[in-house]
Amino acid sequence: MPSRLIKRHDQFFKRLLDHAGTAGALIRERLPWEVAERLAPDAPELVSGSFVDNELREYHTDRLYRVRTVDGEAAFIYALVEHKSSPDPGIGLQLLIYQTRVWQWWVEHQGQGREEGGRRRLPAIFPLVIYHGEAAWRIPLDFASGVDHADDALRPYLLDFRYSLADLGRIDDARLSREKRLRIGLLILKRGSGDGDLRETLLELGRAALSLGFDDLVALVHYILLESNEVEAAMLRDVLKEIVPDQEARIMSIAAEEWKAEGIQIGQAMGKAEGKAEGRAEGKAEMLLRLLRRRFDSLPETVMRKVRDASDDELNEWADNILDARSLDMVFGQAKPN
């Protein structure tokens, strides 16, 4: 079986866009200028859940964000990732179905919409499709073009909407995003989301990231180490040695320290809120659990209790072990690599 850098595209994309910074960057950079400039500067609010049919979740991943316009009106950005290797001619109909579900959800859970002149008004939805297949996207970006009508005079009477598109394969690496986290995440989707030789994929990705900058290469290593995938630290070090000779240890160390810094920040925030040292320790434990889930998917209850009851020294030791561990047992020193 071919190795894969990304085991689950849906989980990868959701984690990528769960950060308000990356979601905000995607919205600002990939929506039409006319739309983006009319949105308030507030960070987008993620709406939990999915509007995709269960049988289509292998091919579609979605994220819904609540935003406001500069006039204070509620609106939504519906981001859909198309995981197929070639464009789906039925994407317009799928987007129509998903938008209808969003409006149904809004009516049921958020009220009846805005009243104006006795009319009920629903919030605007701006669809955005992110596609990372090999074939170029040549499907029209408006819904009406997919409706069978020979007479153009009928077009004004047809249901229509337009969606925005980010065809990653046709975007230069340096222009994927101005935000580093999003830029590297999209680079992984663009160049490393298929089957193939894992080492060659890592080499291609590493060289592409380095061409963007040293920090981008570090960010790439950070992503790869913490995602649930088949990449072992030893393989990653070997690839880095080929890309940046004599700097592989430094890059691995920087990437490891970055997530520790994130854990410290979370712990400090919790400790400040609770006014005690236990809050900082709890933040570090929760950060470690988050990384373990990303690396090994689901965690047994015994592991979660073990981490939450651990001392600061134990948490630091286990955090260091994550980089080389191929199993949960190896993280906790219960098994040794061959």
Side-chain angles (χ1 to χ4, degrees), residues 30-301:
R30 294 302 164 192
L31 285 180
W33 177 82
E34 298 86 349
V35 175
E37 74 160 356
R38 297 295 298 165
L39 299 180
D42 315 44
E45 176 189 349
L46 175 64
V47 177
S48 62
S50 173
F51 299 88
V52 175
D53 295 312
N54 288 334
E55 61 271 21
L56 291 177
R57 289 184 182 175
E58 179 182 354
Y59 306 109
H60 290 166
T61 304
D62 63 342
R63 271 297 188 243
L64 180 67
Y65 297 95
R66 190 196 312 264
V67 296
R68 290 203 171 274
T69 67
V70 292
D71 298 323
E73 297 178 356
F76 289 94
I77 311 298
Y78 185 71
L80 182 75
V81 180
E82 171 65 75
H83 297 307
K84 294 180 181 178
S85 59
S86 58
D88 182 357
I91 192 69
L93 179 58
Q94 290 299 324
L95 284 171
L96 175 61
I97 293 171
Y98 299 154
Q99 289 180 93
T100 301
R101 290 174 181 170
V102 172
W103 278 316
Q104 288 174 332
W105 166 83
W106 169 264
V107 170
E108 292 172 6
H109 297 92
Q110 304 294 315
Q112 298 301 308
R114 188 162 67 89
E115 295 286 343
E116 184 175 292
R119 294 180 301 157
R120 178 185 300 171
R121 303 196 59 182
L122 297 171
I125 302 175
F126 302 101
L128 169 62
V129 174
I130 299 96
Y131 166 69
H132 58 97
E134 295 180 4
W137 190 280
R138 305 193 186 281
I139 300 172
L141 302 183
D142 62 295
F143 179 78
S145 292
V147 178
D148 189 10
H149 64 285
D151 190 345
D152 285 343
L154 299 177
R155 190 178 180 103
Y157 302 95
L158 299 176
L159 175 66
D160 198 12
F161 66 87
R162 187 174 180 84
Y163 62 92
S164 304
L165 173 72
D167 184 352
L168 301 185
R170 265 41 65 182
I171 300 174
D172 184 76
D173 291 347
R175 297 182 179 275
L176 288 171
S177 176
R178 292 185 294 273
E179 203 271 341
K180 182 174 65 176
R181 184 193 298 266
L182 179 61
R183 181 168 63 247
I184 295 302
L186 294 179
L187 181 70
I188 293 173
L189 276 174
K190 174 183 176 180
R191 291 175 172 262
S193 59
D195 297 328
D197 184 276
L198 192 53
R199 190 178 188 281
E200 290 302 316
T201 299
L202 289 173
L203 278 170
E204 179 184 358
L205 272 171
R207 287 168 177 152
L210 182 61
S211 71
L212 300 174
F214 184 83
D215 288 346
D216 288 78
L217 179 58
V218 173
L220 174 68
V221 173
H222 183 85
Y223 262 111
I224 293 171
L225 285 173
L226 302 183
E227 283 298 320
S228 175
N229 56 43
E230 300 172 8
V231 179
E232 297 179 3
M235 177 190 291
L236 188 53
R237 285 194 186 94
D238 182 57
V239 167
L240 288 172
K241 187 175 182 179
E242 184 169 337
I243 297 172
V244 281
D246 301 324
Q247 296 193 63
E248 62 274 10
R250 177 189 173 209
I251 292 174
M252 296 284 283
S253 177
I254 294 173
E257 289 301 320
E258 281 186 350
W259 81 257
K260 286 184 182 179
E262 291 177 21
I264 290 171
Q265 290 173 357
I266 293 173
Q268 286 175 339
M270 296 179 68
K272 183 176 181 180
E274 298 183 16
K276 54 186 179 179
E278 285 84 349
R280 293 189 294 274
E282 182 180 344
K284 186 179 290 187
E286 291 304 318
M287 190 64 186
L288 179 59
L289 287 173
R290 174 187 170 193
L291 297 173
L292 288 171
R293 290 189 190 98
R294 291 183 67 171
R295 187 75 171 155
F296 303 107
D297 295 327
S298 60
L299 300 177
E301 181 64 31

